[in-house]
């Protein structure tokens, strides 16, 4: 089974520019997460989708970050405008609600963002 | 709200020695507990998880962890370290709604 796909793997931008990240979860996984992992820290949840609806976006800086999952499959996370402190790895994860793997999140390789 | 504390941001062991990575959690509900490993420039990979049942959980690559409710701990162990175990390890706690919170991570170094 194919894993969680993310692109691009690396992105370098200047502050105040915009950037977008893409995630394609494992086929059939209804729940999708975006995490921000700052160097030296654990991942922090930004937003959680259930199909195409938002379950939790309480930690998403909504003045500059936005995310969508229009068809309930792949998702896009956008930052506009970027700040220096947004430099981090952005991880996408997905999970199914099946009995065996419930609560196990499968992670993509991440997108490393550097804001100069 | 749930939280996780990982004691020791860096742990160094010799090849063949015991690996012990410490994790304490805080949760107002019965927790789900996880250990993930992250190799450089890669995403997180699940090592093992505790949901219900047996408190000693065995995972991949020879790792295991024991859920101790009285100590609110979920320490990760491996009897004999291998060079390939060098990585970042994250403990995480989740509730029934899949709200997962990660610790800050422990970097494991294995010396030859």
């Amino acid at each position: 089974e194919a894993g969680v796909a993310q692109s691009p793997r690396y992105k370098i931008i200047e502050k105040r520019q915009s950037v977008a990240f893409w995630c394609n979860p494992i086929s059939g996984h209804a729940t999708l997460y975006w995490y921000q992992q700052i160097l030296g820290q654990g991942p922090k949840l930004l937003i959680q989708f259930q199909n195409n609806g938002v379950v939790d976006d309480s930690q998403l800086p909504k003045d500059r970050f936005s995310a969508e999952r229009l068809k309930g499959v792949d998702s896009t996370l956008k930052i506009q405008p970027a700040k220096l402190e947004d430099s981090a790895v952005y991880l996408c994860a997905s999970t199914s609600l099946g009995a065996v793997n419930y609560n196990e999140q499968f992670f993509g390789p991440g997108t490393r963002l550097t804001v100069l | 709200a749930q939280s996780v504390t990982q004691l020791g941001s860096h742990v160094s062991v010799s090849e063949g020695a015991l690996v012990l990575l410490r994790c304490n959690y805080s949760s107002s509900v019965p927790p789900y507990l996880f250990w993930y490993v992250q190799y450089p420039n890669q995403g997180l990979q699940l090592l093992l998880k505790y949901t219900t049942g047996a408190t000693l959980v065995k995972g991949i690559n020879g790792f295991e962890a024991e859920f101790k409710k009285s100590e609110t701990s979920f320490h990760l162990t491996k009897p004999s370290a291998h060079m390939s175990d060098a990585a970042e390890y994250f403990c995480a706690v989740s509730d029934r709604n899949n709200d997962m919170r990660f610790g800050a991570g422990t970097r494991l170094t294995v010396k030859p």
Side-chain angles (χ1 to χ4, degrees), chain B residues 5-6 10 13 20 37 53 55 63 66 68-69 73-74 76 83 89 95 104:
Chain B
T5 302
Q6 291 185 240
H10 292 89
V13 300
L20 171 61
V37 61
T55 57
F63 284 93
E66 187 171 10
K68 292 186 176 180
K69 184 178 179 180
S73 69
F74 192 58
L76 181 71
M83 296 296 290
Y89 292 80
D95 62 12

Side-chain angles (χ1 to χ4, degrees), chain B residues 17-20 60-64 76-82 84-85:
Chain B
L18 171 72
V19 175
L20 171 61
I60 62 172
N61 301 338
F63 284 93
E64 63 182 37
L76 181 71
T77 61
K78 181 174 181 178
S80 177
H82 192 273
S84 61
D85 295 326

Side-chain angles (χ1 to χ4, degrees), chain A residues 22-51:
Chain A
W22 174 82
C23 171
N24 192 22
I26 292 173
S27 178
H29 280 195
T31 308
L32 184 148
Y33 311 81
W34 283 103
Y35 288 89
Q36 180 192 57
Q37 185 179 16
I38 293 173
L39 185 66
Q41 300 181 19
K44 182 186 82 170
L45 180 68
L46 292 176
I47 189 167
Q48 176 185 347
F49 291 95
Q50 180 77 21
N51 296 310

Side-chain angles (χ1 to χ4, degrees), chain A residues 9-10 33 35 37 40-43 48 59 91 95 100-105 107-109 112, chain B residues 32 34 36 38 41-44 46 49 90 94-105:
Chain A
R9 291 295 313 277
Y10 304 92
Y33 311 81
Y35 288 89
Q37 185 179 16
Q41 300 181 19
Q48 176 185 347
Q59 299 188 85
L91 295 166
T95 189
V100 175
N101 289 327
Y102 184 55
N103 257 293
E104 178 181 345
Q105 296 185 21
F107 284 81
R112 182 178 297 276
Chain B
Y32 292 150
F34 306 81
Y36 282 88
Q38 186 176 36
N41 298 316
Q42 295 186 26
L44 279 69
L46 182 69
K49 64 179 178 181
F90 292 94
S94 171
D95 62 12
R96 290 335 189 234
N97 296 318
N98 249 344
D99 180 8
M100 186 172 286
R101 304 300 171 107
F102 288 85

Side-chain angles (χ1 to χ4, degrees), chain B residues 3 13 15 22 25 33 35 37 39 41 52 54 58-59 62-63 66 76 81 89-90 107-109:
Chain B
S3 65
V13 300
E15 192 173 19
R22 299 178 187 273
Y25 71 90
L33 294 161
W35 275 99
V37 61
Y39 297 101
N41 298 316
T52 59
K58 295 186 183 300
F63 284 93
E66 187 171 10
L76 181 71
Y89 292 80
F90 292 94
R107 181 169 299 278
L108 176 65
T109 301

